[in-house]
Amino acid sequence: MRNILLLFFSFLLLAGCGSTRSANPGQASVTTVYIVRHAEKDPGPNLPDPALTPAGEQRAVALRELLERRPVTAIFTTDTRRTRGTVAPLATALRLPPIVYNPRNQRGLAEQIRQEYAGKTVVVVGHSNTILPLLNELQVTRPLQEIADNEYDYLFEVKLPRAGGPGTVAVQHYGAGAK
């Protein structure tokens, strides 16, 4: 009788493990990259590294509210006050230290994401002139030709299949005044 019970519980354990894996069969096979431009910055003249405006700080909180329940494993930012400020509420909520990347090396960032974060979710905060080149390096179709100086509300969600092949990009707007 004891052997039968042991066999029965072993069967249940194995069946449970199998059903857990098959519930989300493709989940780990896709890398998700959320890409945003920094939030609104101080428009004052001759500011080499402007901080966020109050509206920008609100948008940074909106970004946190949008992404804090996602399984983010890394946050990338350039080394400017406006990008660090944009990601600060999310980084604090997730207890993830932001990783500073070189905005002049979009190819290197794309390779790092593909190699070190395959099957995971990451966030990248950049600039109006770095976001679209990063989409190119991630080999997804650019949904826009340019991002204007006054546009801060784009959120790009890139899905990269682990097995190669074309990725996809979806665009949404977030924060106060989003389109």
Side-chain angles (χ1 to χ4, degrees):
M1 181 69 169
R2 205 170 176 192
N3 287 340
I4 293 173
L5 284 175
L6 183 59
L7 184 61
F8 177 73
F9 285 118
S10 296
F11 173 77
L12 286 178
L13 180 64
L14 288 174
C17 289
S19 65
T20 301
R21 277 190 222 126
S22 62
N24 293 314
Q27 186 176 11
S29 64
V30 173
T31 303
T32 302
V33 185
Y34 292 102
I35 305 171
V36 297
R37 178 187 181 192
H38 61 77
E40 290 86 340
K41 63 181 179 175
D42 186 335
N46 302 321
L47 294 174
D49 189 11
L52 295 180
T53 64
E57 291 172 359
Q58 288 178 346
R59 189 172 307 282
V61 169
L63 181 66
R64 182 203 70 213
E65 291 171 353
L66 185 64
L67 298 180
E68 70 184 335
R69 288 180 174 63
R70 311 285 168 94
V72 175
T73 59
I75 299 171
F76 293 90
T77 180
T78 63
D79 195 17
T80 63
R81 290 173 64 191
R82 58 195 176 273
T83 55
R84 290 189 316 263
T86 300
V87 78
L90 179 64
T92 299
L94 297 177
R95 297 182 180 153
L96 287 174
I99 301 165
V100 175
Y101 72 94
N102 181 350
R104 294 188 177 125
N105 186 6
Q106 299 300 312
R107 178 169 289 150
L109 176 59
E111 288 174 10
Q112 182 178 11
I113 290 169
R114 284 184 184 277
Q115 292 172 6
E116 295 176 28
Y117 298 93
K120 298 180 181 177
T121 300
V122 301
V123 175
V124 178
V125 181
H127 303 269
S128 61
N129 63 343
T130 65
I131 291 172
L132 297 176
L134 178 57
L135 292 174
N136 290 343
E137 293 299 335
L138 291 171
Q139 300 174 349
V140 295
T141 303
R142 286 169 63 155
L144 309 167
Q145 290 304 309
E146 68 177 359
I147 297 174
D149 269 351
N150 64 346
E151 294 180 307
Y152 298 97
D153 65 347
Y154 284 112
L155 172 72
F156 300 92
E157 181 181 18
V158 176
K159 299 281 189 176
L160 302 171
R162 189 173 218 164
T168 61
V169 61
V171 182
Q172 68 181 43
H173 300 275
Y174 77 100
K179 296 175 187 173

